[in-house]
C-alpha cells in the first residue's frame, strides 16, 4: 500500500525542510517527482535522480496563479500533490509594515495553496483518482506557540479549505487531507525563539518526522481518509 512505483507526486516548497524530506522518502518508495519552489530545486533533483527517480523542477511563486496552473498542466501524470510551501515571519502586529506582511502571508499560505489545488484536484476528479495533502500547522489548530496572527489565521483557513476540497472530491475517488505540524527544525524556525521545554516530547520535530505522515496521506494506505487533519506536534495540541 505504501509503494509509489509508477506514480508521480508534485510537491510545492520542495527546496528544503519538510518538502525536501517528503521528496526523499517518496523517491525511496519509487515515486517520480515534480518539484517546485521559489528557489531552484536542482541540487535535490540531482540527488533523487542518482537514486533512480524521474524528476522535473520549476522555480516560481505560488502566488502566481498562471505559473502554478502551467506547471501542473505540464505534468503528463499526477497521482498526488503536497501543498507544502509556506511563509512564517516571526513579527508583531504593531510593526509599521504589518498590513503588507499580512497580505503576503495570507497570499502564500492560503491563496497560494488554492492556486495549486484548483488545477490539481480538477485533474484528479477527471481521472477519478488522486491524493492531495495540505501542510497546515498546529498554529491553525490551537493558535501556535509563537506565531503571529496572520499565519495562525491563514493556517486555520487552509484546514477549513481542506475540508471543503475533501467533500467536493471524495465522490470522485480523490482523498484530500492535511497534516498540522508542530515546531519543526527547519530554516523556518531559525529566528522563532521557540522553547523546546514547552513541547511535551521535549524537542522540535525533525523534518522527516513530519514528512512520514505526509507520505502516508499520499499513499493507497490512506484510501478511507477524507478531510482529516493529522496532528503531528509532539503533544503541544491533542485534538
Ligand atoms: N517548521 C515548522 O516549525 C513548521 C510548523 C508548522 C507548519 N509548518 C509548515 O510546513 C511547511 C514547510 O515549511 P518548512 O518548515 O519546511 O520551512 P522551509 O522554510 O524550510 O520551507 C518552506 C519552503 O517554501 C518555499 N516558499 C515560500 N514561499 C513560497 C512561495 N511564495 N512560492 C513558492 N515557494 C515558496 C520556500 O522557498 C521554502 O523552500 C510550510 O507550509 C510551513 O508553514 C512548518
Amino acid at each position: 500500500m505504501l509503494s509509489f512505483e509508477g506514480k508521480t507526486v508534485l510537491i510545492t516548497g520542495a527546496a528544503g525542510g519538510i518538502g525536501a524530506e517528503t521528496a526523499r522518502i517518496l523517491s525511496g518508495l519509487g515515486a517520480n517527482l515534480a518539484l517546485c519552489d521559489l528557489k531552484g530545486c536542482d541540487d535535490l533533483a540531482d540527488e533523487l535522480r542518482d537514486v533512480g527517480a524521474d524528476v522535473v523542477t520549476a522555480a516560481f511563486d505560488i502566488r502566481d496563479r498562471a505559473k502554478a496552473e502551467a506547471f501542473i498542466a505540464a505534468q503528463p501524470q499526477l497521482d498526488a500533490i503536497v501543498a507544502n510551501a509556506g511563509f512564517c515571519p516571526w513579527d508583531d502586529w504593531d510593526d509599521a509594515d504589518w498590513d503588507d506582511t499580512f497580505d503576503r502571508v495570507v497570499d502564500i499560505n492560503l491563496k497560494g495553496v488554492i492556486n495549486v489545488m484548483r488545477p490539481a484536484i480538477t485533474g484528479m476528479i477527471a481521472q477519478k483518482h488522486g491524493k492531495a495533502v495540505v501542510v497546515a500547522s498546529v498554529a491553525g489548530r490551537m493558535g501556535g506557540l509563537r506565531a503571529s496572527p496572520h499565519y495562525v489565521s491563514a493556517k486555520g483557513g487552509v484546514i477549513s479549505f481542506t475540508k471543503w476540497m475533501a467533500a467536493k472530491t471524495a465522490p470522485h475517488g480523490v482523498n484530500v487531507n492535511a497534516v498540522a505540524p508542530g515546531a519543526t527544525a527547519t530554516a523556518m524556525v531559525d529566528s522563532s525563539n521557540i522553547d523546546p521545554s514547552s513541547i511535551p516530547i521535549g524537542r522540535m520535530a525533525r523534518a522527516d518526522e513530519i514528512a512520514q505522515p505526509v507520505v502516508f496521506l499520499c499513499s493507497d494506505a490512506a484510501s478511507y481518509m477524507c478531510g482529516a487533519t493529522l496532528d503531528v506536534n509532539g503533544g503541544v495540541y491533542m485534538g
Side-chain angles (χ1 to χ4, degrees):
M1 299 296 272
L2 288 167
S3 171
F4 284 83
E5 292 294 339
K7 293 185 179 177
T8 300
V9 184
L10 188 149
I11 304 171
T12 71
I18 294 165
E21 284 307 306
T22 303
R24 290 189 179 98
I25 294 165
L26 284 165
S27 76
L29 294 167
N32 298 317
L33 293 154
L35 306 178
C36 58
D37 200 291
L38 266 182
K39 309 172 208 161
C41 303
D42 291 344
D43 290 347
L44 176 62
D46 288 344
E47 175 192 324
L48 301 180
R49 287 182 189 119
D50 283 349
V51 294
D54 283 342
V55 186
V56 295
T57 67
F60 63 88
D61 189 324
I62 55 165
R63 289 176 290 176
D64 187 330
R65 177 174 170 180
K67 286 194 176 148
E69 290 180 349
F71 184 57
I72 287 164
Q75 307 313 315
Q77 181 184 342
L78 189 58
D79 300 287
I81 178 169
V82 181
N84 165 76
F87 173 55
C88 181
W90 305 95
D91 57 2
D92 188 297
W93 69 353
D94 285 326
D95 290 348
D97 59 352
W98 197 79
D99 285 8
D100 292 338
T101 310
F102 176 94
D103 291 344
R104 190 166 165 219
V105 168
V106 172
D107 274 355
I108 294 172
N109 293 297
L110 184 51
K111 196 171 174 195
V113 172
I114 294 174
N115 283 343
V116 295
M117 283 298 185
R118 184 191 289 107
I121 67 170
T122 299
M124 288 175 180
I125 287 171
Q127 72 190 13
K128 300 240 170 272
H129 76 88
K131 301 275 188 286
V133 182
V134 172
V135 180
S137 174
V138 70
R141 300 285 270 171
M142 48 64 86
L145 291 174
R146 303 274 307 175
S148 284
H150 40 40
Y151 182 81
V152 172
S153 306
K155 290 297 188 179
V158 289
I159 290 171
S160 300
F161 174 57
T162 298
K163 293 173 186 171
W164 182 87
M165 284 189 291
K168 179 184 172 74
T169 61
H172 305 281
V174 179
N175 305 76
V176 185
N177 295 284
V179 171
T184 306
T186 68
M188 184 169 281
V189 298
D190 279 351
S191 59
S192 67
N193 294 322
I194 290 171
D195 175 5
S197 70
S198 62
I199 303 167
I201 282 186
R203 61 173 177 83
M204 293 193 202
R206 300 184 313 270
D208 65 285
E209 292 177 303
I210 307 302
Q212 293 285 6
V214 171
V215 168
F216 160 69
L217 288 175
C218 289
S219 78
D220 287 340
S223 56
Y224 205 64
M225 301 290 294
C226 178
T229 299
L230 294 187
D231 292 310
V232 190
N233 59 46
V236 164
Y237 171 77
M238 306 180 200

